[in-house]
Amino acid sequence: MGGTETTRRGFLRGLSGGTAVASTAGVASAQNQQTVEMTDSLVYEPESITVSPGTTVVWDNVGSVGHSVTAYEDEIPEEAGYFASGGFDSEQAARDAYPEGDIGGGEQYEHTFDVEGTYEYFCIPHESAGMVGTVEVGAGGGGEGGGGGGGALPSVPNSAITLGVATMSAMVTVLVLSYFFLKYGGDYGLD
Protein backbone atom coordinates (compact mmCIF):
# COMPACT_ATOMS: atom_id res chain seq x y z
CA MET A 1 0.00 0.00 0.00
CA GLY A 2 1.00 3.68 -0.20
CA GLY A 3 1.83 4.05 3.49
CA THR A 4 -1.24 6.14 4.23
CA GLU A 5 -3.39 4.95 7.10
CA THR A 6 -7.00 6.03 7.28
CA THR A 7 -8.30 6.35 10.80
CA ARG A 8 -11.94 6.32 11.86
CA ARG A 9 -11.56 9.98 12.75
CA GLY A 10 -10.26 10.91 9.28
CA PHE A 11 -12.96 8.86 7.60
CA LEU A 12 -15.71 10.52 9.66
CA ARG A 13 -14.27 13.97 9.04
CA GLY A 14 -14.28 13.29 5.30
CA LEU A 15 -17.89 12.14 5.39
CA SER A 16 -18.99 15.26 7.23
CA GLY A 17 -17.21 17.55 4.78
CA GLY A 18 -14.74 18.70 7.41
CA THR A 19 -11.12 19.45 6.81
CA ALA A 20 -8.15 17.73 8.32
CA VAL A 21 -6.54 20.92 9.56
CA ALA A 22 -4.79 20.84 12.89
CA SER A 23 -4.88 23.83 15.17
CA THR A 24 -2.65 24.28 18.16
CA ALA A 25 -4.50 25.25 21.30
CA GLY A 26 -3.94 28.38 23.28
CA VAL A 27 -1.48 28.63 26.12
CA ALA A 28 -2.06 26.37 29.11
CA SER A 29 -2.94 28.09 32.35
CA ALA A 30 -0.69 28.33 35.41
CA GLN A 31 -2.44 25.24 36.84
CA ASN A 32 -1.34 23.22 33.77
CA GLN A 33 -4.89 23.02 32.47
CA GLN A 34 -6.36 23.31 28.95
CA THR A 35 -10.04 23.81 28.08
CA VAL A 36 -11.88 22.37 25.07
CA GLU A 37 -15.40 23.66 24.47
CA MET A 38 -18.22 21.44 23.25
CA THR A 39 -20.79 23.42 21.27
CA ASP A 40 -24.28 23.09 19.85
CA SER A 41 -22.59 23.13 16.41
CA LEU A 42 -21.47 19.56 17.24
CA VAL A 43 -17.75 20.34 17.42
CA TYR A 44 -14.94 20.31 19.93
CA GLU A 45 -13.32 23.75 19.93
CA PRO A 46 -10.43 23.56 19.36
CA GLU A 47 -10.59 20.23 17.59
CA SER A 48 -6.91 19.47 18.13
CA ILE A 49 -4.71 20.53 21.03
CA THR A 50 -1.11 19.96 22.04
CA VAL A 51 -0.26 19.77 25.74
CA SER A 52 2.64 18.82 27.99
CA PRO A 53 2.54 15.61 30.05
CA GLY A 54 0.67 16.17 33.32
CA THR A 55 -1.80 18.63 31.78
CA THR A 56 -5.45 18.33 32.73
CA VAL A 57 -7.83 18.86 29.81
CA VAL A 58 -11.27 20.15 30.75
CA TRP A 59 -14.10 19.63 28.26
CA ASP A 60 -16.71 22.33 28.89
CA ASN A 61 -20.19 22.03 27.36
CA VAL A 62 -20.95 25.66 26.47
CA GLY A 63 -24.19 24.79 24.70
CA SER A 64 -27.43 23.05 25.57
CA VAL A 65 -26.97 19.82 23.57
CA GLY A 66 -25.56 16.86 25.55
CA HIS A 67 -22.20 15.42 24.48
CA SER A 68 -19.72 12.77 25.57
CA VAL A 69 -15.93 12.55 25.58
CA THR A 70 -15.04 8.99 24.60
CA ALA A 71 -11.56 7.80 23.61
CA TYR A 72 -11.11 5.53 20.61
CA GLU A 73 -9.63 2.58 22.47
CA ASP A 74 -7.27 1.64 19.64
CA GLU A 75 -6.18 5.26 19.01
CA ILE A 76 -4.51 6.11 22.31
CA PRO A 77 -0.96 5.21 23.43
CA GLU A 78 -0.62 1.60 24.59
CA GLU A 79 0.71 2.62 28.01
CA ALA A 80 -2.09 5.15 28.63
CA GLY A 81 -5.19 4.48 30.67
CA TYR A 82 -8.53 4.59 28.89
CA PHE A 83 -10.70 7.69 29.41
CA ALA A 84 -14.37 8.46 28.82
CA SER A 85 -16.95 10.69 30.45
CA GLY A 86 -18.86 8.47 32.84
CA GLY A 87 -15.66 6.75 34.00
CA PHE A 88 -15.88 3.73 31.67
CA ASP A 89 -12.89 1.44 31.21
CA SER A 90 -13.46 0.63 27.53
CA GLU A 91 -14.92 2.16 24.38
CA GLN A 92 -17.54 -0.58 24.08
CA ALA A 93 -18.68 -0.13 27.71
CA ALA A 94 -19.13 3.62 27.10
CA ARG A 95 -21.06 3.01 23.86
CA ASP A 96 -23.30 0.38 25.48
CA ALA A 97 -24.13 2.53 28.53
CA TYR A 98 -24.82 5.81 26.73
CA PRO A 99 -26.59 8.13 27.68
CA GLU A 100 -24.76 7.43 30.94
CA GLY A 101 -21.66 9.62 30.71
CA ASP A 102 -23.56 12.40 28.92
CA ILE A 103 -22.20 15.89 29.67
CA GLY A 104 -25.16 18.26 29.72
CA GLY A 105 -25.12 21.98 28.98
CA GLY A 106 -23.01 23.87 31.50
CA GLU A 107 -21.30 20.69 32.74
CA GLN A 108 -17.67 19.62 32.43
CA TYR A 109 -15.50 16.52 32.20
CA GLU A 110 -11.76 16.45 32.81
CA HIS A 111 -8.87 14.04 32.31
CA THR A 112 -5.16 14.39 33.07
CA PHE A 113 -2.75 13.20 30.36
CA ASP A 114 0.52 11.78 31.69
CA VAL A 115 1.68 9.52 28.84
CA GLU A 116 3.12 11.13 25.70
CA GLY A 117 1.42 10.32 22.42
CA THR A 118 -1.69 10.98 20.35
CA TYR A 119 -5.16 10.50 21.82
CA GLU A 120 -8.17 10.46 19.49
CA TYR A 121 -11.66 10.81 20.95
CA PHE A 122 -15.27 11.39 19.89
CA CYS A 123 -18.79 12.24 21.02
CA ILE A 124 -20.97 9.11 21.06
CA PRO A 125 -24.24 10.70 19.83
CA HIS A 126 -22.50 12.97 17.30
CA GLU A 127 -19.69 10.74 16.00
CA SER A 128 -21.42 10.31 12.63
CA ALA A 129 -21.67 14.13 12.36
CA GLY A 130 -17.87 14.29 12.62
CA MET A 131 -17.57 15.40 16.26
CA VAL A 132 -14.07 14.07 16.88
CA GLY A 133 -10.97 15.53 18.48
CA THR A 134 -7.29 14.97 19.18
CA VAL A 135 -5.03 15.58 22.15
CA GLU A 136 -1.32 15.45 21.34
CA VAL A 137 0.78 15.01 24.48
CA GLY A 138 4.45 15.79 24.17
CA ALA A 139 7.34 17.56 25.83
CA GLY A 140 7.15 21.29 25.24
CA GLY A 141 3.50 21.22 24.22
CA GLY A 142 0.99 23.84 25.22
CA GLY A 143 2.78 25.94 27.82
CA GLU A 144 4.39 29.37 27.51
CA GLY A 145 7.84 29.15 26.06
CA GLY A 146 7.29 25.45 25.50
CA GLY A 147 9.04 25.62 22.15
CA GLY A 148 6.44 23.80 20.13
CA GLY A 149 8.14 25.17 17.02
CA GLY A 150 4.95 26.56 15.49
CA GLY A 151 4.06 25.37 12.05
CA ALA A 152 0.44 24.56 12.84
CA LEU A 153 -1.96 25.77 10.19
CA PRO A 154 -4.91 27.89 11.23
CA SER A 155 -8.31 26.36 10.66
CA VAL A 156 -10.68 28.06 8.23
CA PRO A 157 -14.40 28.03 9.06
CA ASN A 158 -16.65 26.34 6.50
CA SER A 159 -18.64 29.58 6.12
CA ALA A 160 -15.48 31.39 4.96
CA ILE A 161 -14.75 28.66 2.43
CA THR A 162 -18.33 28.84 1.12
CA LEU A 163 -18.11 32.62 0.82
CA GLY A 164 -14.82 32.34 -1.05
CA VAL A 165 -16.24 29.80 -3.52
CA ALA A 166 -19.35 31.94 -4.10
CA THR A 167 -17.22 35.05 -4.69
CA MET A 168 -14.98 33.24 -7.18
CA SER A 169 -18.03 31.86 -9.00
CA ALA A 170 -19.53 35.35 -9.27
CA MET A 171 -16.24 36.76 -10.60
CA VAL A 172 -15.94 34.04 -13.24
CA THR A 173 -19.56 34.61 -14.30
CA VAL A 174 -18.94 38.37 -14.72
CA LEU A 175 -15.79 37.71 -16.76
CA VAL A 176 -17.57 35.23 -19.04
CA LEU A 177 -20.50 37.60 -19.59
CA SER A 178 -18.13 40.53 -20.26
CA TYR A 179 -16.24 38.49 -22.83
CA PHE A 180 -19.49 37.44 -24.53
CA PHE A 181 -20.83 41.01 -24.75
CA LEU A 182 -17.50 42.43 -25.94
CA LYS A 183 -17.01 39.76 -28.59
CA TYR A 184 -20.59 39.39 -29.84
CA GLY A 185 -22.11 42.69 -28.71
CA GLY A 186 -23.60 44.96 -31.30
CA ASP A 187 -25.99 47.76 -31.91
CA TYR A 188 -28.91 47.28 -29.54
CA GLY A 189 -30.91 50.17 -30.97
CA LEU A 190 -30.56 52.37 -27.93
CA ASP A 191 -30.85 55.61 -29.98
Side-chain angles (χ1 to χ4, degrees):
M1 292 230 227
T4 302
E5 179 180 334
T6 302
T7 63
R8 283 185 280 188
R9 178 175 179 264
F11 177 75
L12 291 169
R13 182 176 291 119
L15 286 177
S16 68
T19 56
V21 177
S23 64
T24 302
V27 176
S29 69
Q31 296 87 17
N32 211 18
Q33 181 173 302
Q34 178 70 48
T35 300
V36 174
E37 293 182 344
M38 298 178 287
T39 72
D40 287 348
S41 297
L42 309 183
V43 296
Y44 294 109
E45 184 60 43
E47 180 180 305
S48 179
I49 62 172
T50 301
V51 299
S52 299
T55 300
T56 298
V57 176
V58 177
W59 286 269
D60 186 13
N61 188 341
V62 297
S64 58
V65 175
H67 299 292
S68 77
V69 174
T70 311
Y72 284 116
E73 197 164 1
D74 57 347
E75 294 182 32
I76 63 174
E78 238 177 78
E79 309 81 35
Y82 185 77
F83 68 96
S85 53
F88 300 100
D89 58 1
S90 72
E91 180 181 341
Q92 193 59 53
R95 286 181 186 273
D96 291 344
Y98 192 82
E100 193 176 325
D102 184 71
I103 305 164
E107 296 179 1
Q108 297 180 335
Y109 167 73
E110 66 181 51
H111 179 76
T112 301
F113 293 88
D114 294 317
V115 178
E116 291 188 16
T118 301
Y119 298 76
E120 307 241 359
Y121 63 93
F122 66 100
C123 174
I124 292 173
H126 306 119
E127 178 183 22
S128 62
M131 189 169 180
V132 294
T134 303
V135 175
E136 185 71 39
V137 180
E144 287 184 359
L153 298 174
S155 61
V156 178
N158 285 338
S159 59
I161 294 170
T162 302
L163 181 61
V165 169
T167 301
M168 289 301 296
S169 297
M171 289 173 41
V172 168
T173 301
V174 167
L175 287 173
V176 168
L177 287 173
S178 297
Y179 172 78
F180 176 78
F181 285 121
L182 288 173
K183 181 164 176 103
Y184 300 107
D187 185 14
Y188 296 106
L190 298 176
D191 292 331

